[in-house]
C-alpha cells in the first residue's frame, strides 16, 4: 500500500511566510527551495535597504516590499508584516530570517503545533548552529552557543518559561491574538525584538511553545568584528528590556546602582546560558569563563546605553 503524504492530511490554516532580507549576497532560492509551498498562502519578502527581486514559475505567491534602511528597521519591518497579515486576513504569520535553512517539513510542523495547541500565541523550534568540527572556526562556534541557547536541538517539546524566549528567525504567531492583546514589536530597539516580544506576551498571560520538530539551521558569524558588533548590540538593547523606565529619577538610580549589581547580573546570565548547554552535554561547563567574559562586555554596553539615554 502506498504511503500517504502527511502534508496533505494537515488542516491548513491561512499562512503568511515573511522573510526580512537585508544582505544582497544571500540568495533566497536556497531557502525557498526547502519550503513546502503547497502549505503557504503567500510569501512576503521585505527588502531592508536592498533592491532585490526575482521571478520564477514555482514562486508565484511572492510579494516584495522595499524599505529604506533605518536604525530600528528590524522591528519596524516586522510590524509592517503583522499589519499586512491582519489586512489580508491571515491567521498565522511565520517569520524566517534570510540566513536560515529550513529543515524537513518546517511549514507543516508549525501548522501542526498550532492545530494541536490552538491557545498558543507563538511557536518556535530548534535553531541549529552552523559550526562544524571538520572546519573549526572559533567565533562561529562561540556565536552559535551564545545566540541559540534558547533554541537548542533537544528531543522534547515544551512551553517557554521565563527567563527564556524564542528567536524571530524561526517563529510563527497568531495574528488576531497579537492585535487583540495589543502586542507588537518594540520599534525603539535595534536587536532583541524577540526577547521584548516574549516579555509582552508573558505580561498578557499568554503561552508560547518550543516544538522540537520546527527546525532550522542558521549561518552564524565567523569573524571577531561581526561577533562583537552583534553581542554588544544585544547588551545595549538589554537596557531597554530590563531597566528603561520613563522617569529621570529612576534612570539616575540605574546609573548609580548598576555598577553594584553588575557582577551578580553577569553571573546570573552566564548561569542561565551555560545551564541550557550543559543539559545537552556537561562538558560545556568549561565554556563558563568565555561566556562570563562576553556577558561582562554586554553589561558594559548596557550601562553605556543607560548613560547615553539619561543625558540625551
Amino acid at each position: 500500500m502506498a504511503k500517504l503524504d502527511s502534508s496533505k492530511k494537515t488542516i491548513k490554516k491561512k499562512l503568511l511566510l515573511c522573510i526580512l532580507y537585508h544582505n544582497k549576497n544571500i540568495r533566497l532560492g536556497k531557502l525557498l527551495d526547502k519550503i513546502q509551498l503547497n502549505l503557504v498562502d503567500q510569501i512576503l519578502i521585505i527588502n531592508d535597504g536592498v533592491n532585490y527581486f526575482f521571478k520564477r514559475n514555482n514562486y508565484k505567491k511572492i510579494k516584495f516590499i522595499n524599505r529604506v534602511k533605518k536604525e530600528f528597521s528590524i522591528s519596524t519591518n516586522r510590524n509592517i508584516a503583522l499589519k499586512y497579515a491582519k489586512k489580508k486576513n491571515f491567521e498565522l504569520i511565520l517569520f524566517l530570517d534570510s540566513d536560515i535553512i529550513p529543515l524537513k517539513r518546517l511549514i507543516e510542523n508549525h501548522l501542526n503545533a498550532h492545530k494541536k495547541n490552538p491557545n498558543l500565541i507563538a511557536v518556535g523550534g530548534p535553531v541549529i548552529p552552523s559550526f562544524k568540527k571538520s572546519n573549526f572556526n572559533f567565533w562561529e562556534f562561540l556565536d552559535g552557543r551564545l545566540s541559540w541557547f534558547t533554541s537548542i536541538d533537544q528531543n522534547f517539546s515544551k512551553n517557554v518559561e521565563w527567563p527564556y524566549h524564542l528567536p524571530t528567525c524561526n517563529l510563527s504567531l497568531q495574528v488576531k491574538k497579537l492585535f487583540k492583546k495589543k502586542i507588537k514589536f518594540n520599534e525603539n530597539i535595534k536587536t532583541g525584538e524577540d526577547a521584548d516580544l516574549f516579555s509582552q506576551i508573558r505580561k498578557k498571560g499568554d503561552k508560547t511553545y518550543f516544538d522540537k520538530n520546527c527546525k532550522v539551521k542558521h549561518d552564524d558569524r565567523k569573524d571577531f568584528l561581526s561577533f562583537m558588533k552583534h553581542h554588544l548590540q544585544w547588551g545595549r538593547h538589554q537596557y531597554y528590556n530590563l531597566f528603561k523606565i520613563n522617569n529621570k529619577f529612576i534612570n539616575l538610580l540605574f546609573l548609580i546602582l548598576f555598577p553594584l549589581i553588575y557582577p551578580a547580573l553577569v553571573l546570573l546570565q552566564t548561569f542561565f546560558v551555560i545551564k541550557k548547554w550543559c543539559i545537552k552535554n556537561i562538558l560545556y561547563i568549561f565554556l563558563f569563563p568565555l561566556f562570563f567574559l562576553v556577558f561582562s562586555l554586554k553589561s558594559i554596553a548596557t550601562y553605556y546605553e543607560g548613560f547615553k539615554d539619561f543625558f540625551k
Side-chain angles (χ1 to χ4, degrees):
M1 181 181 292
K3 290 184 178 181
L4 292 173
D5 183 354
S6 62
S7 65
K8 293 181 180 178
K9 295 191 295 181
T10 303
I11 296 178
K12 184 171 72 169
K13 291 196 169 185
K14 198 168 186 184
L15 176 71
L16 173 67
L17 170 60
C18 179
I19 302 169
L20 301 191
Y21 187 76
H22 57 86
N23 185 349
K24 62 183 180 181
N25 294 320
I26 296 175
R27 290 291 171 256
L28 290 182
K30 189 176 180 182
L31 186 162
L32 294 173
D33 286 342
K34 300 285 186 179
I35 292 294
Q36 295 164 287
L37 295 174
N38 61 311
L39 296 178
V40 177
D41 290 276
Q42 188 175 16
I43 300 171
L44 176 65
I45 298 175
I46 300 182
N47 290 324
D48 185 18
V50 296
N51 187 14
Y52 182 70
F53 177 81
F54 65 87
K55 185 175 182 180
R56 287 167 60 178
N57 290 334
N58 57 332
Y59 300 148
K60 294 180 180 179
K61 306 174 183 178
I62 293 183
K63 175 179 177 62
F64 290 89
I65 295 179
N66 290 325
R67 297 283 300 171
V68 176
K69 183 77 172 179
K70 295 182 179 180
E71 186 176 8
F72 305 116
S73 60
I74 295 176
S75 293
T76 301
N77 290 338
R78 294 201 191 281
N79 283 332
I80 288 171
L82 287 178
K83 291 175 184 176
Y84 180 86
K86 181 186 178 185
K87 180 180 179 181
K88 297 297 182 180
N89 201 31
F90 285 101
E91 293 180 35
L92 290 172
I93 183 169
L94 172 59
F95 285 107
L96 296 179
D97 282 359
S98 57
D99 53 0
I100 66 97
I101 297 296
L103 297 191
K104 191 175 182 181
R105 300 188 184 282
L106 177 68
I107 303 297
E108 180 183 352
N109 291 331
H110 271 279
L111 289 171
N112 281 336
H114 284 281
K115 176 189 170 185
K116 292 175 184 176
N117 305 278
N119 293 325
L120 295 174
I121 198 168
V123 172
V127 179
I128 301 172
S130 57
F131 165 77
K132 294 180 181 178
K133 292 180 180 179
S134 59
N135 188 21
F136 183 80
N137 181 301
F138 174 78
W139 299 112
E140 182 181 19
F141 172 79
L142 195 58
D143 186 58
R145 271 62 195 169
L146 286 167
S147 297
W148 312 122
F149 65 93
T150 63
S151 305
I152 299 172
D153 186 16
Q154 296 172 314
N155 194 31
F156 57 88
S157 300
K158 59 184 177 179
N159 289 327
V160 182
E161 305 292 347
W162 184 91
Y164 301 107
H165 67 279
L166 296 176
T168 38
C169 67
N170 175 29
L171 189 70
S172 57
L173 300 163
Q174 292 273 5
V175 177
K176 290 182 180 179
K177 288 184 179 180
L178 287 177
F179 281 93
K180 183 179 179 180
K181 297 294 182 75
K182 297 182 179 180
I183 298 171
K184 64 178 183 177
F185 291 99
N186 185 346
E187 297 184 9
N188 295 315
I189 52 178
K190 282 186 178 181
T191 60
E193 77 283 357
D194 40 18
D196 182 84
L197 183 76
F198 272 67
S199 177
Q200 293 181 59
I201 290 172
R202 287 194 181 102
K203 287 177 182 177
K204 299 290 185 178
D206 286 289
K207 293 183 178 181
T208 56
Y209 192 67
F210 173 89
D211 190 291
K212 65 179 182 179
N213 298 312
C214 298
K215 297 183 182 183
V216 300
K217 286 185 178 180
H218 186 271
D219 186 18
D220 296 317
R221 295 158 194 86
K222 297 177 175 62
D223 62 87
F224 171 76
L225 289 178
S226 61
F227 172 86
M228 288 305 302
K229 180 181 178 181
H230 173 73
H231 289 281
L232 290 178
Q233 281 182 342
W234 261 84
R236 292 175 66 181
H237 94 250
Q238 183 175 252
Y239 166 73
Y240 297 99
N241 281 345
L242 298 180
F243 303 107
K244 168 70 173 176
I245 296 176
N246 292 322
N247 183 297
K248 277 290 185 181
F249 177 72
I250 299 297
N251 292 339
L252 177 61
L253 285 180
F254 165 81
L255 293 180
I256 296 171
L257 297 177
F258 185 83
L260 301 178
I261 67 170
Y262 167 82
L265 177 65
V266 172
L267 190 62
L268 195 62
Q269 289 176 320
T270 306
F271 168 76
F272 278 122
V273 174
I274 208 77
K275 174 187 172 184
K276 296 285 285 186
W277 284 108
C278 284
I279 293 172
K280 188 175 181 69
N281 189 330
I282 192 61
L283 293 178
Y284 278 110
I285 193 67
F286 292 106
L287 291 178
F288 191 96
L290 282 173
F291 284 18
F292 187 86
L293 175 60
V294 174
F295 279 112
S296 297
L297 295 174
K298 283 186 176 184
S299 289
I300 292 173
T302 301
Y303 189 74
Y304 171 72
E305 193 66 20
F307 183 86
K308 278 179 46 182
D309 182 59
F310 182 80
F311 288 102
K312 69 180 180 182

